[in-house]
Every structure is written in structure tokens, then in C-alpha cells.
Amino acid sequence: MAERAEKGISALNVEEKFRLSFDGLPPWHSLNIFDQLAEKGWNFVIESNYKPSTPVNIDLSRYSDPMERYVRERYQSTHNLLEVEYTSAEAAIIREEILRTGASARLAVKHVQDCRCDGVVIHILLSCRSASFNLCAFQQRSWIS
């Protein structure tokens, strides 16, 4: 993938003009928009909504409360993600942001930076706020290095 990004090689049969990430739920009712954009050289190399997290091997059987199980699994998943995909310095910054604000936009954009995207197409779906609530973080540019 890195070599393709460096050389601007697209998965499309047209010249890649923009290397992009798609964030949010896809517009299932009109997926043909991606064909139209591809014809113009828009190459969507990754999306974030259906990108699975790294599996975590954690025994939650001793916890009977479903909410506690959920929180412990989510905490362990985030901890594992920080250990595996970030440097210790990056992980420290992200942990501090999460403790201070409850979230870190850096978690949302790592794949954009790794894939050397030129930008992000954000599709906010108001009828599914759980999939869209964090997308506004992309508007802040202070965390992009």
C-alpha cells in the first residue's frame, strides 16, 4: 500500500487525483456516487466505519453486569490499540487527551495518515447519531502533524 501511495497508483482504471478516506455510514441508497467520483479520479482507499478493531483476548466471565463487561472490553480494546499501533509518545498524548476531554481525534485519523490520504469525505447521517457523533472531530486540524 505504501508503494502504491508513493507512486499514486490507484485501484481505479483512471488516474488517481485524490487519495481519500470515507468516514461515516455509506449512502446505501445511492452507492453509484462512488462510481461517479471514481471516474473523476477520487480513490477511496480506506473507510473507518467497518474497519474492525484488533481482537482482544480478555476473560469477562466474572462480570455479570452487561454494562461493566462492555466498558471493560472497550477499555481493553483501546489500551491494546494504543500498545500495538502507536509509539509510546503518541499513546501518551492520546491517553492525556482522553482523560482530559473524553475522546481523542487522533484515534480517528491514524488510518488517514497511514494511507497518505489527501483528505476525508465525511458523511454524517443524522438518523444514526451513534455512527456520526464523533465525525465533527475531523473539523479540528490542530491534531494533524
Side-chain angles (χ1 to χ4, degrees), residues 4 40 51 68 122-123:
R4 294 179 72 88
K40 298 179 185 323
K51 181 179 180 269
E68 184 172 2
I122 300 171
H123 184 251

Side-chain angles (χ1 to χ4, degrees), residues 9 12 16 22 28 32 35 57 62 71 77 139-140 143:
I9 299 172
L12 311 172
E16 179 181 282
F22 184 87
W28 295 111
N32 66 332
D35 294 331
N57 186 14
R62 63 183 169 155
V71 170
S77 293
Q139 293 176 333
Q140 302 170 358
W143 39 262

Side-chain angles (χ1 to χ4, degrees), residues 3 6-7 45 54 66-67 72 83 93-94 113 117 129 134 139:
E3 181 182 345
E6 287 176 19
K7 294 180 179 178
V45 295
T54 305
M67 186 55 80
R72 287 183 181 276
E83 295 295 319
I93 292 169
I94 292 168
Q113 294 169 331
C117 293
R129 295 205 172 137
N134 63 338
Q139 293 176 333

Side-chain angles (χ1 to χ4, degrees), residues 91-107:
I93 292 169
I94 292 168
R95 283 187 185 97
E96 188 277 324
E97 288 176 349
I98 291 172
L99 288 172
R100 185 172 34 86
T101 67
S104 175
R106 293 170 197 272
L107 288 172

Side-chain angles (χ1 to χ4, degrees), residues 30-76:
S30 54
L31 288 175
N32 66 332
I33 191 169
F34 292 108
D35 294 331
Q36 295 168 12
L37 294 172
E39 291 171 4
K40 298 179 185 323
W42 291 39
N43 185 16
F44 291 93
V45 295
I46 194 164
E47 57 80 32
S48 67
N49 200 58
Y50 299 108
K51 181 179 180 269
S53 58
T54 305
V56 176
N57 186 14
I58 180 173
D59 180 14
L60 298 171
S61 62
R62 63 183 169 155
Y63 305 105
S64 60
D65 180 14
M67 186 55 80
E68 184 172 2
R69 290 171 71 117
Y70 173 78
V71 170
R72 287 183 181 276
E73 187 278 330
R74 296 302 300 165
Y75 168 79
Q76 193 60 41

Side-chain angles (χ1 to χ4, degrees), residues 19-31:
R19 178 173 286 268
L20 301 164
S21 171
F22 184 87
D23 283 280
L25 290 173
W28 295 111
H29 53 81
S30 54
L31 288 175

